[in-house]
């Protein structure tokens, strides 16, 4: 299905989710008036409106939505129109209780929340595609509708369902993937614990089992559940493409929530016309602005480097975490513009008007329950003006400095039970390496673990692989090609261990990466909680490591840069460098954090010939460039004014907690 150009009709977006069905009609006119006052250019409408649109099966109430879209259109506000398929109405579940998802433990979840969907259920599919069709027939050519918002955050709050309908669909999916039962038995390693299947019908989802369930079965189920949800997205999208030609279709991603593993956005990004993302700050004691930057970089990356849109973030506190502090003055704009710096074509919020009832009534909004006489409203209207002033940015692209491999599939595999240490955490390593690069003011482009052989070392002198536990054989050869042509590769422990079926690569660890790293690992020796070891560099440097140690046997041409100075693997290599062609592959065999990890990342950066800009910690410098010019975003998360040097040699001040956008003279 050809994708319409996502850009033609989209303004630089500023606005939020708009849920007028929660309010009497009198409020709608006030909403639109205040939206104009705030500089709102777009709203996401109707995301949860199914019950209001179709109060009884087949009986539609369009009047209210006609009115709302008309009001918005008259005010020049564009509509990102939702297909409400994340919340089928009560009557639907009454007629089709089987559409409610079942947990691993066999509990059927109930109606009364949202996202209660079995993605294999044919009645759900039929109802979802019907409401999508009638919506598209009615509004598909409405001039206000510039984007379609399908469903909401696929995979949240539940992705997988374990019902019998899913079991049958899983078997079909497995037939496609593995072709024969022999191949499936081989791929899943069913010879272990006598799990061999003699008939497809014997296969069930990885429901609750007495001991650990076959990891490959679990992994395939996660992939299957992802594919089922994606198929439902595609079914809606195709209807929209047909009935609403030229209007791009999206669904809001959550590429990097601090928790949870979500779906495989490399695959999802291929199906949408415009990548959009939701991002919320987590109050978990970590540096939230680093997580925000990571999420924005990752969203841009799944969008292929092209423009994307931040569809949701919060004006201030959310209400679903244990503690929900308010954002400090200026923090909202810093968040919003931080996303824009990293490629977002605007900044949208959940939500426009604070709800008076329901589960999210304490979630802050652009327009608070208390009205407009407050700091929140002043900051919202200021931000609206700022975003309007950035209209020229549209279509420019953010420039990444270094590359990092990100694989949802590997992360899922690594997170399964019974690994050498239960504290192994791929996401923790991704965050840690990202943070080290962030602290050097570098912008990261993420890459999937495929096609790396074509990566151009002059474009990306450094490629970081924080923890690619699962790696098909070809990945090693690809990385070797990148390195031999001059790239610098930095790989962290527990990478290249298994193939895509969670089967150990033959021979010594790290199977897929032995050649490029020029070493083998004789045995893993994970550390116990609280246990640390010292690592000593040949240059006299010393670091403290935890979580992991192992016995590394460097091969010919592989230089030991640092050793374990104590602990059970004392004397063995902890950091190595293997020269390959005109490049080098580094390997870090333990877990370093903070300044220690930064020091190792610095070694690799120096080897790659990258000199980071000189700026204080917690100041970002991100560049967007394109036909309309080059824009330099300086985002100052510190409590003091900072000075940034501009390309003409001059400098400019960025106020405490502020953001400045400098446009290069042309
Ligand atoms: C998610 C959802 C929204 C809202 C926000 C805030 O991103 O998409 O509907 O629930 O979280 O909690
Ligand atoms: Zn199901």
């Amino acid at each position: 299905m050809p994708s319409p150009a996502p850009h033609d009709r989209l303004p630089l977006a500023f606005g939020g989710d708009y849920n007028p069905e929660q309010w009497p009609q009198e409020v709608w006119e006030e909403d639109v008036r205040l939206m104009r006052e705030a500089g709102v250019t777009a709203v996401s409408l109707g995301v949860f409106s199914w019950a209001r649109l179709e109060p009884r099966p087949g009986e539609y109430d369009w009047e209210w939505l006609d009115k709302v879209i008309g009001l918005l259109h008259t005010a020049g506000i564009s509509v990102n129109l939702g297909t409400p398929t994340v919340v089928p109405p009560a009557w639907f579940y009454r007629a089709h209780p089987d559409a409610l998802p079942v947990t691993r433990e066999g509990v059927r979840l109930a109606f009364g929340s949202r996202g209660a969907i079995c993605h294999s259920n044919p009645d759900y599919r039929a109802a979802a595609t019907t409401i999508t069709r009638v919506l598209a027939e009615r509004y598909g050519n409405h001039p206000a509708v510039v984007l379609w918002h399908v469903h909401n955050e696929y995979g949240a709050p539940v992705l997988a369902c374990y019902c019998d309908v899913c079991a049958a669909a899983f078997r079909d999916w497995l037939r496609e993937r593995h072709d024969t039962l022999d191949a499936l038995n081989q791929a899943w390693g069913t010879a272990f614990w006598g799990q061999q299947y003699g008939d497809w019908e014997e296969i069930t989802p990885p429901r609750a089992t007495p001991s650990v369930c076959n990891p490959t079965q679990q992994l395939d189920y996660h992939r299957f559940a992802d594919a089922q949800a994606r198929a439902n997205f595609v079914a809606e999208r195709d209807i929209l493409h047909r009935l609403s030609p030229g209007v791009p279709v999206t669904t809001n991603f959550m590429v990097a929530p601090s928790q949870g593993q979500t779906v495989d956005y490399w695959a999802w990004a291929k199906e949408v016309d415009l990548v959009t993302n939701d991002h919320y700050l987590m109050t978990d004691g970590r540096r939230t602005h680093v997580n925000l930057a990571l999420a924005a970089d990752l969203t841009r990356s799944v969008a292929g480097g092209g423009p994307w849109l931040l569809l949701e973030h919060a004006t201030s506190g959310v209400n679903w975490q244990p503690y929900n502090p308010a954002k400090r003055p200026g923090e909202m704009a810093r968040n919003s513009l931080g996303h824009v710096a990293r490629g977002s074509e605007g900044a949208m919020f959940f939500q426009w008007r604070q709800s008076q009832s329901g589960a999210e009534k304490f979630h802050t909004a652009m327009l608070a329950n208390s009205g407009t006489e407050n700091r929140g409203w002043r900051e919202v209207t200021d931000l609206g003006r700022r975003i309007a002033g950035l209209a020229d940015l549209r279509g420019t692209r953010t420039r990444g400095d270094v590359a990092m491999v990100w694989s949802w599939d590997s992360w899922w595999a690594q997170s399964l039970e019974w690994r050498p240490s239960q504290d192994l955490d791929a996401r923790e390593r991704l965050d840690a390496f990202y943070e080290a690069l962030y602290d050097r003011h570098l912008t990261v482009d993420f890459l999937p673990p495929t096609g790396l052989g074509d990566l151009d070392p002059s474009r990306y002198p450094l490629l970081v692989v924080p923890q690619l536990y699962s790696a098909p054989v070809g990945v090693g050869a690809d990385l070797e090609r990148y390195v031999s042509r001059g790239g610098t590769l930095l790989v962290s422990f527990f990478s290249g261990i298994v193939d895509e079926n969670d089967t150990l690569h033959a021979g010594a660890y790290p199977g897929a990466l032995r050649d490029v790293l020029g070493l083998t690992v004789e045995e893993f020796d994970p550390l116990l909680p609280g246990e640390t070891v010292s690592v000593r560099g040949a240059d006299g440097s010393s670091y403290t490591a935890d979580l992991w140690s192992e016995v590394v046997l460097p091969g010919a041409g592989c230089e030991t840069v640092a050793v374990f100075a104590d602990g059970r693997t004392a004397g063995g290599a902890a950091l190595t460098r293997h020269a390959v062609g005109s490049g080098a592959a580094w390997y870090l065999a333990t877990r370093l954090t903070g300044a220690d990890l930064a020091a190792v990342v610095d070694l690799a950066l120096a080897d790659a010939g990258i000199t980071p800009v000189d700026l204080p910690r917690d100041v970002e410098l991100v560049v967007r460039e394109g036909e309309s010019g080059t824009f330099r975003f300086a985002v100052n998360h510190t409590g003091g004014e900072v000075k940034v040097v501009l390309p003409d040699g001059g400098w400019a001040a960025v106020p405490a907690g502020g953001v400045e956008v400098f446009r290069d003279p042309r």
Side-chain angles (χ1 to χ4, degrees):
M1 189 79 33
S3 316
H7 260 91
D8 298 356
R9 299 164 68 192
L10 282 180
L12 201 58
F14 179 64
D17 275 42
Y18 182 36
N19 299 302
E21 68 270 31
Q22 295 174 15
W23 298 92
Q25 198 172 318
E26 309 82 79
V27 176
W28 304 344
E29 299 208 2
E30 183 190 61
D31 279 329
V32 172
R33 180 175 60 75
L34 290 174
M35 283 180 192
R36 286 181 59 108
E37 192 178 314
V40 165
T41 62
V43 294
S44 303
L45 183 65
V47 177
F48 303 103
S49 304
W50 195 340
R52 178 74 191 261
L53 284 172
E54 193 180 0
R56 276 161 299 278
E59 230 178 77
Y60 298 102
D61 174 4
W62 302 117
E63 204 196 321
W64 69 278
L65 192 55
D66 286 355
K67 242 183 221 152
V68 172
I69 295 184
L71 281 172
L72 291 164
H73 184 50
T74 310
I77 296 166
S78 298
V79 173
N80 170 26
L81 190 57
T83 69
T85 53
V86 72
V87 279
W91 56 254
F92 170 82
Y93 286 113
R94 190 167 172 212
H96 306 288
D98 289 359
L100 290 164
V102 175
T103 66
R104 270 189 93 173
E105 292 72 27
V107 177
R108 200 175 280 281
L109 300 176
F111 177 71
S113 168
R114 63 170 164 181
I117 289 158
C118 160
H119 279 290
S120 307
N121 185 278
D123 299 315
Y124 170 74
R125 167 75 76 97
T129 48
T130 302
I131 187 76
T132 299
R133 178 176 54 73
V134 294
L135 265 173
E137 281 166 355
R138 190 158 188 100
Y139 303 109
N141 296 305
H142 194 294
V145 177
V146 297
L147 183 64
W148 284 99
H149 178 301
V150 170
H151 203 268
N152 193 63
E153 293 183 340
Y154 278 95
V158 285
L159 176 64
C161 164
Y162 296 81
C163 77
D164 289 339
V165 178
C166 284
F170 182 43
R171 289 188 282 269
D172 291 343
W173 183 91
L174 288 169
R175 276 200 184 89
E176 279 284 308
R177 181 174 174 88
H178 296 286
D179 199 19
T180 67
L181 203 52
D182 279 353
L184 177 133
N185 277 311
Q186 183 66 31
W188 284 16
T190 55
F192 187 78
W193 283 355
Q195 199 190 345
Q196 290 97 336
Y197 295 103
D199 189 306
W200 288 99
E201 291 304 310
E202 293 162 4
I203 302 172
T204 52
R207 293 175 174 141
T209 45
S211 182
V212 166
C213 181
N214 182 319
T216 318
Q217 182 179 358
Q218 294 191 60
L219 187 56
D220 267 355
Y221 205 71
H222 199 124
R223 292 166 175 157
F224 156 78
D226 179 328
Q228 292 299 95
R230 207 168 342 120
N232 276 337
F233 168 78
V234 166
E236 290 192 35
R237 180 206 61 195
D238 288 352
I239 292 167
L240 297 169
H241 277 177
R242 183 159 50 78
L243 298 174
S244 183
V247 180
V249 179
T250 191
T251 180
N252 45 344
F253 292 178
M254 286 183 293
V255 299
S258 301
Q259 288 151 354
Q261 305 168 30
T262 61
V263 294
D264 185 346
Y265 287 115
W266 294 120
W268 281 78
K270 293 193 185 117
E271 305 293 354
V272 299
D273 301 320
L274 174 71
V275 166
T276 57
N277 197 45
D278 298 347
H279 185 264
Y280 292 92
L281 302 182
M282 292 299 293
T283 312
D284 57 5
R286 292 192 289 166
R287 295 162 74 203
T288 51
H289 53 287
V290 181
N291 175 266
L292 184 152
L294 182 153
D297 280 350
L298 183 57
T299 309
R300 179 186 67 256
S301 301
V302 300
W308 58 278
L309 176 60
L310 176 70
L311 214 49
E312 288 181 28
H313 67 321
T315 51
S316 189
V318 299
N319 83 166
W320 41 264
Q321 296 181 41
Y323 310 96
N324 302 286
K327 290 188 181 178
R328 303 291 91 210
E331 189 175 356
M332 174 189 73
R334 212 159 64 240
N335 291 167
S336 310
L337 296 171
H339 284 287
V340 173
R342 291 173 196 271
S344 176
E345 295 282 81
M348 311 258 301
F349 293 93
F350 178 85
Q351 59 178 328
W352 159 250
R353 183 186 277 271
Q354 184 180 355
S355 296
Q356 236 175 333
S357 36
E360 300 204 282
K361 57 184 166 296
F362 294 111
H363 192 292
T364 57
M366 297 174 81
L367 178 60
N369 196 32
S370 61
T372 55
E373 293 303 316
N374 51 56
R375 164 171 83 90
W377 180 252
R378 286 190 292 278
E379 291 198 25
V380 162
T381 50
D382 280 353
L383 180 62
R385 274 191 292 276
R386 276 207 87 172
I387 291 194
L390 292 172
D392 282 357
L393 273 179
R394 246 172 111 249
T396 58
R397 294 164 83 99
T398 299
R399 187 164 74 202
D401 302 307
V402 294
M404 186 183 284
V405 172
W406 182 290
S407 164
W408 277 277
D409 200 71
S410 174
W411 180 12
W412 300 339
Q414 200 258 259
S415 305
L416 293 166
E417 306 95 329
W418 289 13
R419 310 285 125 167
S421 164
Q422 69 166 14
D423 293 339
L424 281 165
D425 181 347
R427 179 61 201 273
E428 184 278 332
R429 284 292 83 190
L430 285 156
D431 282 338
F433 278 88
Y434 182 88
E435 190 164 354
L437 295 164
Y438 176 95
D439 282 341
R440 294 296 177 256
H441 315 285
L442 295 165
T443 302
V444 176
D445 281 344
F446 290 96
L447 301 169
T450 46
L452 296 170
D454 297 326
L455 194 63
D456 177 2
S458 65
R459 174 67 192 85
Y460 294 112
L462 178 68
L463 173 62
V464 183
V465 179
Q467 195 161 92
L468 190 65
Y469 162 71
S470 148
V473 183
V475 172
D478 282 354
L479 291 174
E480 217 167 329
R481 195 156 165 256
Y482 162 75
V483 177
S484 65
R485 289 180 296 124
T488 300
L489 174 70
L490 174 56
V491 176
S492 168
F493 65 92
F494 213 49
S495 293
I497 305 300
V498 297
D499 66 13
E500 59 273 46
N501 290 318
D502 200 42
T503 297
L504 293 178
H505 285 293
Y509 303 131
L513 303 181
R514 278 190 309 250
D515 292 346
V516 64
L517 298 174
L519 52 79
T520 56
V521 172
E522 192 173 62
E523 65 181 353
F524 298 149
D525 202 346
L527 304 178
L528 299 177
E531 193 182 0
T532 59
V533 290
S534 312
V535 170
R536 200 176 47 239
D539 59 359
S541 51
S542 112
Y543 316 107
T544 303
D546 69 356
L547 181 83
W548 194 257
S549 69
E550 57 185 21
V551 177
V552 178
L553 305 178
C558 180
E559 171 198 348
T560 298
V561 182
V563 295
F564 289 103
D566 52 25
R568 297 187 294 275
T569 57
L575 177 66
T576 60
R577 179 184 186 275
H578 183 221
V580 182
S582 48
W586 292 72
Y587 180 62
L588 178 57
T590 187
R591 181 168 80 170
L592 300 180
T593 47
D596 288 344
L597 181 61
V600 168
V601 168
D602 282 348
L603 293 175
L605 283 170
D607 206 8
I610 297 172
T611 322
V613 293
D614 185 21
L615 275 175
R617 186 178 147 99
D618 291 326
V619 178
E620 301 174 19
L621 193 63
V622 184
V623 181
R624 273 185 80 150
E625 57 197 356
E627 275 175 25
S628 56
T630 300
F631 301 80
R632 287 166 206 278
F633 281 74
V635 186
N636 180 4
H637 298 282
T638 76
E641 181 185 278
V642 296
K643 295 192 166 72
V644 295
V645 177
L646 299 175
D648 63 6
W651 58 265
V654 186
V659 180
E660 292 293 340
V661 185
F662 305 105
R663 190 173 185 163
D664 284 8
R666 320 194 76 181

